[in-house]
Amino acid sequence: MPAVSLSSANHQPTQNFEVRPFSAAVGAEIVGLDLSRPLNDADFARVHQAHLDYNVVVFRDQRITPQQQIDFSRRFGVLQIHVLKQFLLANHPEIFIISNIKENGQPIGLGDAGKFWHSDLSYKEFPSLGSMLYAQELPEEGGDTLFASQQLAFETLPAELRQAIDGKRAAHSYTARYADEVFAGIRRPTLTEAQLAEVKAVVHPVVRTHPETGRRGLFVNENFTTHILDVPEDESRQILAELYAHSAKPEFIYRHQWQDGDMVFWDNRALIHLATGCPSHLRRRMHRTTIQGDVPF
Ligand code: SIN
């Protein structure tokens, strides 16, 4: 179970907010909640439940500082610090900057982050429970984020494919697509020896059980999964290709079109996500916190 924490903010008045599910497979918006104020335990419990029920929650109209984003994220668990230290916010290393903006010729954040479907930090022994992405500067066009339910994907898997992955495990590596990404014109910083040591390949089950809801879902992704263990290489490649084709079907997807003030909190144990990108002359800057989850089982 994650270390969801009750807080010393329990004296705070209850806020009057609504949870409004989207019509897509996953997702709900939370309207009327002010995250600049610490949440009392009852409000926090409602948010926590909405996150479990809908997998993506969109907090509208937020005006919060980096420290407030960090404090709220910490209510759900320990925060993870990204391996690309050059893109951590100054004085707030818990915040990872995702941006296509350059200042003095240097990128201020990871541009082109999330161009392949993935679950954040699936390449770690303790992959992420969830991520909070807070819009700082949005392009006039594009920049959407797609989320696909891997629980629906698993539940609708053809019987043959389900059988092929029964009890199987797969390896994940941060650098799995590095060469392809650079080849595709996506900027990727060269990693130092110390950074490479931080992201050694790990093995996780191909199907994981959500530690809080018990629902099962696929846990492989085209960004970080390298191969399925204990099957010939070509068979692994074939199975993964079929899983990826199935896992991003339109009926499993919620498309988030960002609005000013949005902070989106998703469940990496239940979803994969993809950044669609925006025209390169438009500016996009986001702040992400990443909460550590359990070892998948
Ligand atoms: C990510 O993969 O965390 C980034 C998503 C986005 O920038 O829309």
Side-chain angles (χ1 to χ4, degrees), residues 225-245:
T225 308
T226 55
H227 62 284
I228 298 177
L229 274 61
D230 304 325
V231 295
E233 206 180 310
D234 55 345
E235 196 178 322
S236 159
R237 212 174 304 117
Q238 177 65 28
I239 295 173
L240 286 174
E242 287 178 33
L243 290 176
Y244 298 155

Side-chain angles (χ1 to χ4, degrees), residues 217-265:
L218 291 177
F219 195 64
V220 285
N221 64 80
E222 61 179 7
N223 203 155
F224 301 129
T225 308
T226 55
H227 62 284
I228 298 177
L229 274 61
D230 304 325
V231 295
E233 206 180 310
D234 55 345
E235 196 178 322
S236 159
R237 212 174 304 117
Q238 177 65 28
I239 295 173
L240 286 174
E242 287 178 33
L243 290 176
Y244 298 155
H246 177 77
S247 64
K249 285 191 169 159
E251 57 268 35
F252 309 144
I253 292 179
Y254 162 64
R255 181 182 198 107
H256 186 67
Q257 295 177 297
W258 290 86
Q259 297 176 18
D260 192 30
D262 278 355
M263 185 162 82
V264 176
F265 177 29

Side-chain angles (χ1 to χ4, degrees), residues 3-207:
V4 167
S5 71
L6 300 181
S7 82
S8 55
N10 219 12
H11 59 280
Q12 291 285 332
T14 294
Q15 297 193 46
N16 186 15
F17 66 93
E18 272 182 59
V19 178
R20 299 181 188 152
F22 297 132
S23 57
V26 288
E29 63 178 354
I30 294 192
V31 180
L33 185 71
D34 178 0
L35 294 176
S36 72
R37 294 165 47 196
L39 268 53
N40 70 24
D41 291 345
D43 286 348
F44 178 75
R46 278 186 71 200
V47 170
H48 179 209
Q49 193 58 50
H51 187 247
L52 294 177
D53 290 344
Y54 303 109
N55 301 161
V56 187
V57 289
V58 179
F59 302 98
R60 299 287 191 197
D61 302 318
Q62 300 304 315
R63 297 286 176 270
I64 59 172
T65 64
Q67 191 57 50
Q68 286 166 336
Q69 180 176 350
I70 291 167
D71 291 345
F72 179 58
S73 304
R74 279 213 175 107
R75 296 281 300 264
F76 291 88
V78 172
L79 300 191
Q80 295 172 293
I81 310 292
H82 201 277
V83 62
L84 298 179
K85 310 284 184 252
Q86 62 271 50
F87 300 139
L88 304 179
L89 185 65
N91 304 317
H92 295 288
E94 299 86 354
I95 290 187
F96 180 56
I97 304 172
I98 293 174
S99 181
N100 62 355
I101 300 170
K102 282 189 180 173
E103 275 169 13
N104 305 320
Q106 293 301 319
I108 62 163
L110 185 63
D112 295 320
K115 285 290 160 65
F116 295 104
W117 285 102
H118 66 287
S119 170
D120 286 330
L121 277 56
S122 77
Y123 51 84
K124 302 282 273 188
E125 189 188 349
F126 294 88
S128 161
L129 173 159
S131 307
M132 293 197 195
L133 194 63
Y134 182 33
Q136 304 290 303
E137 197 172 341
L138 293 172
E140 285 131 37
E141 183 192 328
D144 299 352
T145 310
L146 306 188
F147 298 92
S149 168
Q150 295 310 281
Q151 297 177 334
L152 282 176
F154 174 66
E155 286 156 7
T156 56
L157 211 54
E160 230 172 81
L161 200 45
R162 196 188 263 241
Q163 205 174 348
I165 58 171
D166 188 39
K168 290 279 186 285
R169 296 178 310 145
H172 296 239
S173 165
Y174 178 62
T175 55
R177 299 296 293 252
Y178 241 60
D180 299 345
E181 287 170 325
V182 173
F183 182 70
I186 295 175
R187 292 190 305 271
R188 286 287 171 260
T190 307
L191 297 177
T192 64
E193 286 300 315
Q195 285 172 316
L196 286 169
E198 250 186 73
V199 290
K200 293 221 171 83
V202 295
V203 169
H204 295 308
V206 171
V207 179

